[in-house]
Amino acid sequence: MMAFSPDKGLLRAELARRTGCNLETIRYYEKIGMMPDPPRSGAGYRVYDAGHVSRLRFILRARELGFSIEETRGLLGLMDRGAQTCAEVKQRTERHLADVRAKIADLRRIERILAETASQCSGDEVPECPVLDSLGSQV
């Protein structure tokens, strides 16, 4: 198997190792067009360069921050076309931030309800359970 060489590039396994990304995830990003097809070596191996490493790290970071596949694809598309403006990227980020804040509010509400429900439960070995009653009565 070919080792890393700046002039020859990286094999997929090395790309995965350097970025902490699963091999199957790299394949998936290639399949859906988020990662460009790399050139192949004479032996037919895919050979990735520094641009692939950078792009994959961008994708992974965007996903880590909760951007959806489509949101990440949109950001990549702006970069690929060289059409990005800070204002447009900020607008997309603020939309995503609003979604994250809404999810946090939902999680806080869920946490409050679960804590209240759990506090009503005795935890005894009895058939009556306020948690199950609560789950059954909430619509």
Side-chain angles (χ1 to χ4, degrees):
M1 188 174 269
M2 180 174 64
F4 171 70
S5 168
D7 57 325
K8 293 185 180 177
L10 305 169
L11 295 179
R12 187 182 282 150
E14 181 64 14
L15 176 65
R17 190 189 68 72
R18 285 181 180 233
T19 60
C21 186
N22 183 289
L23 284 168
E24 291 303 316
T25 304
I26 295 171
R27 285 186 186 104
Y28 174 71
Y29 290 149
E30 290 172 349
K31 179 180 175 184
I32 65 172
M34 289 178 70
M35 286 288 291
D37 288 333
R40 293 188 181 258
S41 69
Y45 293 109
R46 293 170 184 265
V47 182
Y48 301 88
D49 61 21
H52 290 99
V53 174
S54 177
R55 186 175 185 97
L56 183 55
R57 285 185 175 147
F58 179 95
I59 293 167
L60 294 172
R61 183 66 176 145
R63 299 291 291 140
E64 181 181 300
L65 292 174
F67 284 96
S68 70
I69 292 287
E70 286 309 311
E71 289 168 329
T72 303
R73 186 189 309 271
L75 292 170
L76 289 168
L78 289 174
M79 290 184 350
D80 290 346
R81 291 188 309 274
Q84 78 273 5
T85 64
C86 192
E88 186 171 10
V89 173
K90 182 177 181 178
Q91 180 184 32
R92 290 173 185 233
T93 301
E94 286 176 343
R95 261 195 321 263
H96 178 62
L97 179 58
D99 290 343
V100 168
R101 286 179 173 152
K103 288 176 186 174
I104 289 170
D106 284 345
L107 287 171
R108 285 188 177 133
R109 181 185 57 77
I110 291 167
E111 177 190 29
R112 181 180 41 73
I113 293 168
L114 287 172
E116 288 171 6
T117 304
S119 71
Q120 296 171 10
C121 185
S122 68
D124 294 336
E125 298 291 324
V126 295
E128 300 82 23
C129 180
V131 174
L132 295 178
D133 293 341
S134 174
L135 291 173
S137 67
Q138 299 295 321
V139 179

